[in-house]
Amino acid sequence: MYIVRYRLFTVLIALFILSSASAQDAAKEDLKEANDTGDRKDYNKWTLEVTAGQSKGTKPFTDGYYSSNPENFVGTVQINTFSLGVRYMFSARFGLKADISRDLFKNNPSTGSLPFEMQQFRFGIQGVINASRLFNIQKELGRLNLLIHAGLQVSRATPFYSGDKFEAGYFYMQSEYNGGVMFGISPEFRISKKFSIIGDFSSLSNFRQHFTWDGRINEEKNNLSGQMVMLSLGLTYSLGKDNIHGDWAIIDETKIKEIEELDKRIGELEDMMNDTDKDGVPDYLDVENNSIAGVAVDTKGRMVDINKNGIPDELESYMANNYIDKANVSTVIEGANSDMIRKMINDGYVATYFETGKSKPTQESTEGIGFILQYLRNNPEASVDIVGHADEIGSNAFNDNLASTRAKNIRQVLLDAGIDGSRLNIISEGEDKSVLKDSSDARRLVRRVTFKIKN
């Protein structure tokens, strides 16, 4: 009846593990419906950007020419730049952006500047960092996001103000190719699963620019550098089949914690179902996890010994049927000094076990001491080597001493039980390296004391 209950309980535990694993998979699938965690691979990686705004050359200008009214604190607003870009995010945090833009620089009559007009086409390649993900602040920002971009650009600048085509130092409709670097910051606000509003502030520096922004030219030996700033506003559209904008990563902490807790519970259940001594009883139910292989055990993993003579009934029956007179089983067993029992002891089938770093045997493994005690009482001429062992945790010196102390403690138990000390010899074998050091279950098998019978 107990065994039937135990087996039924074991089946229920196994079914719970399987159902928990299925629930875990379902929870992970649910994350696909939530916002991106930053580690998933199915978010949309391509993004299209369209912006418009104002660009201003800051230097160089020829005397008498400038882009803003110097008496106006804010300056004059002109929508004079248009940009089209495409971005690809290699990961949740880093990507690459390519864009083209057209700028038209000209004076505003209200500024007091002399008239000028300059057209510029620009192409840029830039690296992109999703700062909200990089600094893990996406949850705090919510629908907001912040991108940082920097890279190289090339441009073609062409003066085409026709007021005086032949003015000295003015190159009407003649183009100059420039190159340099740019840096920018782009805040975003998500308005739907695929669209966002994006702003951008960028600064551009040319390493080679002979034209001034008003279209004049200085002597080549000056090898002018140029600078400009841009402020724009536009839209982004996330390309792809998934309705997940690649720029956002709001982590659903609740679901992630649920999955982590489920992982932990499944791990604990798997540990509970381990069976170190392979007797069919999981360790969490096994109070005697060093039972002899093949010997019948009860529902608690204890070797069955109905007559309480210290010898498992199955082993006793085997010996009676094969080695001794069936008519006098109990008497012969109690005084037996057969080769089989001695071999069983000497081969390590009888042992007592210890917890990590401890020198006192576990309560469940004292049967091994009882077995040796019974043997020595039934065989008064026999003596025994008490051999201490330790696992590999700790230094060699510590483990040698620990193994010796374990053997001494077992010897003291036998002395206290009435066995003459001259029959009890202490041996320390120190570390047992026969099992994997990284396996906690395997190390339990080598933290032990074994016995060697001598006549």
Side-chain angles (χ1 to χ4, degrees):
M1 184 65 180
Y2 288 109
I3 292 182
V4 170
R5 289 179 181 175
Y6 156 68
R7 289 179 177 171
L8 178 60
F9 184 72
T10 302
V11 170
L12 291 175
I13 288 290
L15 290 175
F16 180 76
I17 291 175
L18 291 175
S19 63
S20 297
S22 299
Q24 180 188 31
D25 292 339
K28 288 180 178 178
E29 287 297 320
D30 288 343
L31 279 179
K32 292 184 178 180
E33 302 301 324
N35 291 317
D36 182 26
T37 65
D39 295 320
R40 57 185 293 169
K41 304 299 182 183
D42 57 350
Y43 61 85
N44 295 335
K45 296 178 174 62
W46 290 96
T47 302
L48 186 67
E49 298 180 8
V50 179
T51 61
Q54 182 174 12
S55 61
K56 287 187 176 185
T58 56
K59 69 174 185 178
F61 277 95
T62 308
D63 291 342
Y65 298 86
Y66 35 87
S67 59
S68 298
N69 188 340
E71 297 180 359
N72 191 323
F73 180 77
V74 178
T76 304
V77 177
Q78 292 179 316
I79 305 300
N80 65 336
T81 183
F82 300 91
S83 177
L84 174 65
V86 62
R87 175 160 42 87
Y88 180 81
M89 298 302 291
F90 296 106
S91 70
R93 298 172 177 85
F94 303 103
L96 194 65
K97 171 184 176 181
D99 65 339
I100 56 174
S101 67
R102 176 183 181 270
D103 305 298
L104 182 63
F105 305 105
K106 61 181 181 179
N107 66 298
N108 188 311
S110 66
T111 65
S113 170
L114 295 173
F116 68 91
E117 197 163 346
M118 169 82 82
Q119 178 177 261
Q120 175 179 259
F121 289 98
R122 180 182 55 79
F123 172 76
I125 294 287
Q126 302 173 72
V128 180
I129 297 174
N130 188 329
S132 62
R133 288 180 175 176
L134 183 65
F135 299 113
N136 197 29
I137 55 174
Q138 61 271 22
K139 184 176 180 180
E140 289 76 12
L141 292 180
R143 287 180 174 267
L144 294 175
N145 192 39
L146 185 65
L147 302 176
I148 300 173
H149 57 91
L152 303 176
Q153 56 81 30
V154 293
S155 60
R156 187 185 73 175
T158 306
F160 63 93
Y161 173 70
S162 58
D164 186 353
K165 299 180 182 179
F166 306 105
E167 179 182 342
Y170 181 67
F171 287 78
Y172 173 70
M173 295 300 290
Q174 296 187 37
S175 300
E176 178 185 39
Y177 291 90
N178 303 314
V181 296
M182 64 182 303
F183 171 83
I185 299 175
S186 302
E188 283 185 286
F189 181 79
R190 184 177 57 190
I191 56 177
S192 73
K193 290 184 176 180
K194 286 200 168 187
F195 284 96
S196 74
I197 298 173
I198 189 168
D200 182 72
F201 175 78
S202 295
S203 174
L204 179 150
S205 296
N206 280 326
F207 296 144
R208 178 191 179 279
Q209 178 177 325
H210 291 92
F211 283 159
T212 59
W213 294 113
D214 53 84
R216 275 66 186 171
I217 190 168
N218 280 352
E219 297 180 10
E220 185 174 350
K221 66 180 182 180
N222 291 338
N223 195 28
L224 296 174
S225 63
Q227 294 181 0
M228 61 175 285
V229 294
M230 294 166 285
L231 183 64
S232 57
L233 188 68
L235 290 175
T236 75
Y237 178 74
S238 181
L239 301 172
K241 63 180 181 180
D242 297 307
N243 289 323
I244 304 168
H245 200 300
D247 291 349
W248 271 267
I250 307 299
I251 296 178
D252 190 336
E253 296 285 356
T254 302
K255 287 185 177 291
I256 291 177
K257 288 181 179 178
E258 288 176 357
I259 291 176
E260 290 176 348
E261 183 63 27
L262 198 54
D263 278 333
K264 180 180 177 181
R265 290 171 58 194
I266 290 175
E268 290 173 350
L269 288 173
E270 290 174 345
D271 289 340
M272 287 172 60
M273 296 302 291
N274 285 337
D275 183 10
T276 303
D277 54 7
K278 308 301 181 185
D279 61 358
V281 179
D283 288 347
Y284 81 100
L285 291 175
D286 199 338
V287 298
E288 185 179 281
N289 62 1
N290 62 330
S291 57
I292 299 172
V295 174
V297 298
D298 61 15
T299 57
K300 295 296 186 181
R302 296 172 294 206
M303 292 182 288
V304 178
D305 181 17
I306 295 176
N307 59 11
K308 305 298 182 182
N309 66 348
I311 301 176
D313 291 348
E314 190 169 348
L315 180 60
E316 185 174 347
S317 176
Y318 177 81
M319 293 170 61
N321 291 332
N322 294 277
Y323 291 93
I324 58 179
D325 184 358
K326 298 178 182 179
N328 196 23
V329 172
S330 297
T331 302
V332 175
I333 286 295
E334 289 174 1
N337 189 22
S338 70
D339 291 340
M340 181 179 178
I341 293 180
R342 185 162 47 249
K343 177 174 174 54
M344 182 179 69
I345 294 172
N346 291 344
D347 286 351
Y349 287 100
V350 178
T352 185
Y353 293 84
F354 301 80
E355 298 294 340
T356 301
K358 303 296 184 182
S359 59
K360 299 292 184 181
T362 61
Q363 186 66 32
E364 296 82 7
S365 67
T366 55
E367 286 85 351
I369 307 174
F371 192 99
I372 292 298
L373 175 61
Q374 187 71 22
Y375 181 88
L376 293 174
R377 285 175 175 173
N378 292 337
N379 298 272
E381 77 284 357
S383 61
V384 64
D385 287 340
I386 305 172
V387 186
H389 308 264
D391 61 21
E392 294 184 71
I393 303 302
S395 66
N396 290 336
F398 173 81
N399 288 328
D400 286 341
N401 182 66
L402 179 61
S404 177
T405 303
R406 286 171 174 170
K408 290 177 182 177
N409 287 341
I410 301 304
R411 181 179 187 272
Q412 186 61 49
V413 174
L414 295 173
L415 286 173
D416 294 342
I419 303 300
D420 191 285
S422 62
R423 302 172 62 192
L424 307 173
N425 181 44
I426 298 298
I427 296 176
S428 173
E429 290 196 353
E431 294 181 356
D432 186 331
K433 299 182 179 180
S434 63
V435 299
L436 292 177
K437 182 178 180 179
D438 294 335
S439 172
S440 59
D441 290 332
R443 291 200 312 273
R444 295 160 107 190
L445 303 177
V446 298
R447 297 192 298 266
R448 71 199 192 283
V449 164
T450 57
F451 306 92
K452 299 287 185 182
I453 299 298
K454 301 186 300 180
N455 289 330

